[in-house]
Amino acid sequence: MECKGCGSTENKPDAVKCIYCGNQLAGSSSGTFDKVMPEDKPIERVFSHLPAYYQEEFRKMEESKGSYKGKWNWMACIFNWIWAFTKGLWLVAVICLISIILTKGILSIVWLFIFGFRGNNQYYTSLKTGKQPWI
């Protein structure tokens, strides 16, 4: 069933609320929406469940049409592969972890910088496209 709030088509036919934005679906009993986002602000519909830090970063990325890649992310830098797992970036996290193990920690310095600089952009790409980005 398609959600009128965020456009998601992944809801089950008998669902009452959208699994992404929480809007009441048209086919449910009351037929009204709890919170319909404006059509001209799709970024807010996709990222509304995130903390304010990520909402602001992703809004800047969306408005720049790809030229802004995000600012330095200390949490992604320090906890690199762990941070990636918690954000759903499984592919990058596994590759990072395996490379650190195989090089006995030598590549961990490289991964610190990669996640610090590119972490926010990787997370943004993952959420927006639904695909696992590669560095």
Side-chain angles (χ1 to χ4, degrees):
M1 177 177 290
E2 183 175 355
C3 175
K4 300 289 184 193
C6 69
S8 171
T9 57
E10 296 181 27
N11 294 298
K12 294 181 180 178
D14 59 341
V16 175
K17 291 192 175 197
C18 176
I19 59 173
Y20 291 106
C21 68
N23 281 339
Q24 184 123 4
L25 298 173
S28 62
S29 57
S30 70
T32 60
F33 297 104
D34 293 335
K35 53 178 184 179
V36 176
M37 296 292 186
E39 288 299 318
D40 59 336
K41 301 207 180 218
I43 192 73
E44 292 176 3
R45 286 184 271 137
V46 177
F47 305 123
S48 63
H49 67 285
L50 298 174
Y53 168 80
Y54 289 112
Q55 287 185 30
E56 180 64 22
E57 282 296 293
F58 296 166
R59 183 189 57 75
K60 289 177 186 176
M61 288 179 201
E62 186 76 12
E63 289 173 355
S64 75
K65 305 287 188 219
S67 63
Y68 179 71
K69 301 293 184 190
K71 63 183 178 183
W72 181 267
N73 186 329
W74 280 106
M75 295 305 281
C77 171
I78 296 168
F79 299 107
N80 48 47
W81 64 270
I82 298 169
W83 177 87
F85 271 122
T86 64
K87 302 304 179 200
L89 302 169
W90 309 107
L91 178 63
V92 176
V94 168
I95 291 170
C96 174
L97 184 57
I98 289 172
S99 70
I100 290 171
I101 291 169
L102 292 177
T103 63
K104 298 181 178 150
I106 294 172
L107 283 181
S108 62
I109 300 296
V110 173
W111 285 109
L112 292 175
F113 288 102
I114 289 173
F115 277 104
F117 283 116
R118 301 285 295 166
N120 287 341
N121 189 262
Q122 293 294 307
Y123 189 27
Y124 167 77
T125 303
S126 168
L127 289 175
K128 187 171 180 185
T129 65
K131 297 178 183 174
Q132 290 289 309
W134 172 243
I135 308 299

